[in-house]
Structure formats: structure tokens, C-alpha cells
Amino acid sequence: MSSYIDIKYLNIISPQLQKFKKKGNTLWNFRCPYCGDSQKNKTKARGFVYQKKNDLFFKCHNCDVGTTVGKLIEYLDSKTYKDYIMERYKTGSGGTKGTITPKPEFKFNAPVFRKKDIFKSLKSIAELDSDHPARKIVERRSLPKESLKDIYLCESFFKFTNTLIPNKFPSLDGDHPRLMIPFRNEEGEIFAYQGRAFGIETPKYITIKLKDEDKIFGLDRVTKDKHIYVVEGPLDSLFIDNCIAVGGADFNRPLSIDGSLISNEDLTVVFDNEPRNSEICKLIKKTIKSERKICLWPESMEYKDINDMILGGYTKEEIEEIIKENTYQTASATVRFAKWRKIND
Ligand SMILES: [Zn+2]
């Protein structure tokens, strides 16, 4: 077992980690030393160390760096890292109990900095010149700045998609640029992407699936250790902490994160504020029936989705507070839903 050495050395370097806190048996939380977490908000702490099999891993939910605890120790303090390596060597960790590994051979995953992988030929919005028209369009949405690093410009959507799925678009007639939103799995690998039109091209959204997985956006950014929010739109999800998007998908199937099934108590479904949209009302009814928590926006809310609320002047914190205050479940949700519909009819 190597995890006890990982834990021992994590504690040794913990004075170098700001806001270091033990959150659970094998879960620790602190400010990320790679990105420094939020400079504006000194209380933000989005770096986590968690256990997977016999080893501890680090993951930051702000910059998405994911690595082993060994690499984290090396990054912070090379001297402590040498002691750590020696101790792991001496105990022969990695091998079976009691055996001594012949030479210090440790399999460390290279730190996974935000990998572009199949998007490597594309430029992220953050990489575009500040006066680039695509960047200007995106910046008008007031998305969180960090998120621009993982949203891309694709100049020729059909042509690009054909390089991944041959002949997906048999004709390149009418090819056009789109904003590319990658859907990553928990390991950060892109399994689907949404191309969003900049102009009047239809359809406004085209989602391309590269693997047969549920189209859930944000799996690489959520943790099961905090309450999870589920919204419809990927861009809306970027404004809310620990939030995924399941646009156009079934909100009612079971959701599992990091191999754990998320219970109804640990998840709130937040629909767009569109009481006149019968499709949404149908989905809301189904969600209430499934006994999941649901946010139904107050009558005073005049905007239809989270991005519009931000543009209308609400802060992220205000929106999160409104969601919390307007969350219902089972009977209370049924009553509230009836009123929500009637008032807006
Ligand atoms: Zn970070």
C-alpha cells in the first residue's frame, strides 16, 4: 500500500498549501498551487487530493491540472520529493506487499495540463487577438475568463468534422465557422463537441458525438463531493459552481460521477425560465415525478437563462442564491410548478 506514504508526505508539504483542509477520509482541499486559484477571491480553494485505488491524485477544478500526489510534491518542494521517492522505494510500494522493487521505478502520469488533443489544430478563444470578431462575439456573452481557454474557433466546421468522422458532411457546400465547445469525460478526453453558429446559420447548434456516451457537458470539472447542479446549456453551466449541462438530453436518467451514483439529495436540476415552453414543462413534470430537486425561478425573474441573467446584471453569487431559495422537491415542487405555469399563462 503506497497511499499511507502519499498521505504522510501530503501532510509534510501541507503548510505550503493555502487553505489546506481535510474534507473526508481520503479527501483534501486547498488553493491550487498551479494556477493560484482565484486572485480576486482569496477564499476560493479548488484544488483537491483524492484517492483512486491505492494512490492519491491531485485535481484542480479551476485550471484542470490533474496529476499524482508525487508530482504535486515535486512541484512544491524537490527536497521533500526526494525523501518521498526514497521512502516509496524502501517500502517497495507499487509491488505486492512485502516485496522490494528492484529499482526505483515509479509510474507517474505526466501532469495533464489542459490537453487540446483532437482540437490541437484549433485556436482557443483566449488565444485569439482581442479584436478578433469571434472573440468579440464570445466576450459579449460575459463568460468567465478561464472558460475561454477551452472554447475554440473552428473556421470550417464541416471540413474539420470530416477529419474526425470521414464523410460526416458529404458536401462542403455552405461550410462556415462555428464556436466549438468540447464535451470532456472525467479524464479530460473529448468525446463529443457542440458547434454553435456565430451567425444565422441553421441549426444554431450541431452536436457531434465521437463516442457513444451520454452528452453531458462538464464531467471534467465537477466533483461528487459537492452539491451538483444540472442546467440545459453548456455555456450557462460555466457560470455556476460544480455544474454540468445536459442540453437536449434526458434529465431523468441516473447520473454517476467518479464511479458513484449521485443521489437525488445531492443534485438540483435547473431548467431555463420558460414557463410557456411546453417541451420544458413536460421535462419538468418528469423531473418532479423522479423526486429530484428542481429549481423553479421566481416570478420576478425576467430572464430566460443564466447567461441572460448575467448579462442583465445578476452576479454569479446572486444567481446561486436564487437557485437555492427556489429549489423544490416532490409535493412542494408539484404545488410550485402549478403556480409557476398558471401565473405565466
Ligand atoms: Zn488550478
Side-chain angles (χ1 to χ4, degrees), residues 30-38 46-47 58-65:
F30 44 87
R31 278 168 74 78
C32 171
Y34 291 94
C35 66
D37 241 300
S38 168
R46 287 167 286 191
F58 169 79
K59 168 97 180 164
C60 172
H61 291 284
N62 183 43
C63 66
D64 281 303
V65 166

Side-chain angles (χ1 to χ4, degrees), residues 177-229:
R178 277 182 181 253
L179 185 68
M180 302 287 268
I181 304 166
F183 286 50
R184 298 178 184 274
N185 64 19
E186 285 159 72
E187 279 72 48
E189 183 197 353
I190 300 172
F191 64 90
Y193 56 89
Q194 190 179 72
R196 190 186 156 114
F198 284 106
I200 50 156
E201 299 89 357
T202 51
K204 188 167 172 60
Y205 304 97
I206 302 177
T207 303
I208 303 289
K209 256 172 118 166
L210 302 166
K211 280 188 178 172
D212 191 27
E213 286 180 47
D214 290 337
K215 280 189 289 182
I216 302 176
F217 173 81
L219 287 173
D220 55 326
R221 296 181 303 112
V222 284
T223 168
K224 65 173 167 28
D225 304 307
K226 279 171 43 181
H227 195 81
I228 295 172
Y229 293 89

Side-chain angles (χ1 to χ4, degrees), residues 224-257:
K224 65 173 167 28
D225 304 307
K226 279 171 43 181
H227 195 81
I228 295 172
Y229 293 89
V230 182
V231 299
E232 295 182 59
L235 296 184
D236 286 330
S237 77
L238 298 171
F239 294 102
I240 305 294
D241 277 343
N242 215 38
C243 188
I244 55 173
V246 290
D250 186 354
F251 278 55
N252 296 298
R253 75 191 129 186
L255 175 71
S256 78
I257 306 271

